[in-house]
Amino acid sequence: MTNGSDSSFLYGANIRANGIRQHYLRYGGSGRPVVIVPGITSPAVTWGFVAERFGRGFDTYVLDIRGRGLSEASDCLDYGLDAMAADVAAFAVALGLEDYALVGHSMGARIGLRAVSRHGATPGCLAMVDPPVSGPGRRPYPAQLPWYVDSIRLMAQGADLEAMRPFCPTWTDGQLRLRAEWLHTCDERAIVTAYDGFSTDDIHVDLPRIPCPALLIAAGRGDVILPEEEAEIRALNPAIGLVRVENAGHMIPWDDEEGFYRAFGDFLGKLV
């Protein structure tokens, strides 16, 4: 996140929606509203570089999911998929967003899918970026829980980017530094609950119930969505568009930022 003269960053703010404090960052301020919902351990600020680009053409909001970043966290909160999906639907209503685009990455894509299929979210379109397709009776999500929990605990103790490097060896120093700074804001209870949900929540039943244009962006070098799983998604909802970013792993904009933007084409409107 930057605030220079060439930056599209406007401000960070809080709003009460779905009964909790939700924190977000806003970029651009004009054009079609776009709501970005990050993944399981990605506070909003870590998506700032993407929001800067989106902010050139769109009124962009990046959400801190409950239990992460500066949004509400406590041992009393429900950290399940349905609660997070209800948050997103309520967030858009609270801000009065119309014809907005909903863009979710990884867990955020599952949240967006559940929000439109069961919680009354009404975006003009939905982009799902490399969502975990694990669930009951399916292969497990390929990342292991200790990868998340161990790194969170290290950062909570005050570790620096060098301690983060073994977890994300291909990332730049700047990317590692930002993750090291903010990872401690991810509540371990929220992460464990969400991770467990990857194996217990059935998102495939939601796929035929998407009421708006939808796009699936998959990582070409990742193992989150296999070709046969793509085929199943197509069979469940043939209207879903599919684009692969061939040179990227699961963290697509970190691996191939320009390829990530190209993958959208004109799906959101004109992306500068």
Side-chain angles (χ1 to χ4, degrees):
M1 184 172 64
T2 62
N3 55 10
S5 59
D6 60 344
S7 173
S8 66
F9 175 67
L10 296 177
Y11 57 80
N14 298 292
I15 193 166
R16 190 159 189 85
N18 197 32
I20 68 166
R21 183 190 73 252
Q22 298 193 45
H23 176 260
Y24 64 96
L25 302 175
R26 188 179 184 189
Y27 294 75
S30 62
R32 185 185 199 177
V34 174
V35 177
I36 296 176
V37 186
I40 187 170
T41 54
S42 295
V45 68
T46 63
W47 275 76
F49 70 106
V50 172
E52 284 279 4
R53 180 69 167 267
F54 274 38
R56 297 180 193 173
F58 303 119
D59 186 12
T60 304
Y61 301 78
V62 192
L63 183 63
D64 269 330
I65 302 165
R66 61 169 61 197
R68 297 151 180 90
L70 300 181
S71 284
E72 191 164 331
S74 79
D75 57 5
C76 300
L77 278 187
D78 178 357
Y79 290 116
L81 177 60
D82 284 290
M84 296 185 292
D87 286 348
V88 170
F91 175 80
V93 170
L95 287 175
L97 303 181
E98 298 180 356
D99 189 34
Y100 65 97
L102 187 55
V103 178
H105 172 249
S106 191
M107 181 191 75
R110 289 168 67 102
I111 291 171
L113 173 59
R114 182 60 57 92
V116 301
S117 67
R118 302 195 195 185
H119 292 279
T122 58
C125 63
L126 170 68
M128 299 174 287
V129 182
D130 219 39
V133 292
S134 49
R138 299 178 180 276
R139 70 181 180 100
Y141 182 59
Q144 301 298 307
L145 181 61
W147 186 89
Y148 300 104
V149 173
D150 291 352
S151 58
I152 290 170
R153 290 177 179 176
L154 276 172
M155 298 308 111
Q157 295 167 5
D160 62 8
L161 68 89
E162 290 305 326
M164 180 59 64
R165 196 179 301 278
F167 294 91
C168 306
T170 64
W171 287 24
T172 67
D173 284 359
Q175 291 166 345
L176 291 170
R177 185 174 292 109
L178 191 62
R179 186 166 176 82
E181 178 186 1
W182 282 89
L183 191 59
H184 76 92
T185 68
C186 295
D187 189 300
E188 188 173 317
R189 295 161 296 195
I191 305 314
V192 172
T193 300
Y195 183 89
D196 289 345
F198 288 166
S199 61
T200 59
D201 293 316
D202 185 358
I203 65 163
H204 288 75
V205 298
D206 298 316
L207 288 166
R209 303 172 60 183
I210 301 174
C212 60
L215 175 68
L216 176 68
I217 298 176
R221 292 193 287 104
D223 54 359
V224 172
I225 306 177
L226 301 179
E228 58 268 29
E229 292 162 339
E230 286 182 9
E232 181 182 9
I233 291 170
R234 284 181 178 275
L236 287 168
N237 189 335
I240 296 176
L242 174 63
V243 180
R244 273 196 167 266
V245 183
E246 295 296 346
N247 295 322
H250 180 58
M251 302 299 284
I252 295 175
W254 280 259
D255 291 343
D256 183 0
E257 186 177 354
E258 292 304 317
F260 174 71
Y261 301 134
R262 286 195 300 271
F264 285 94
D266 61 358
F267 182 73
L268 304 178
K270 186 177 181 181
L271 182 60
V272 178

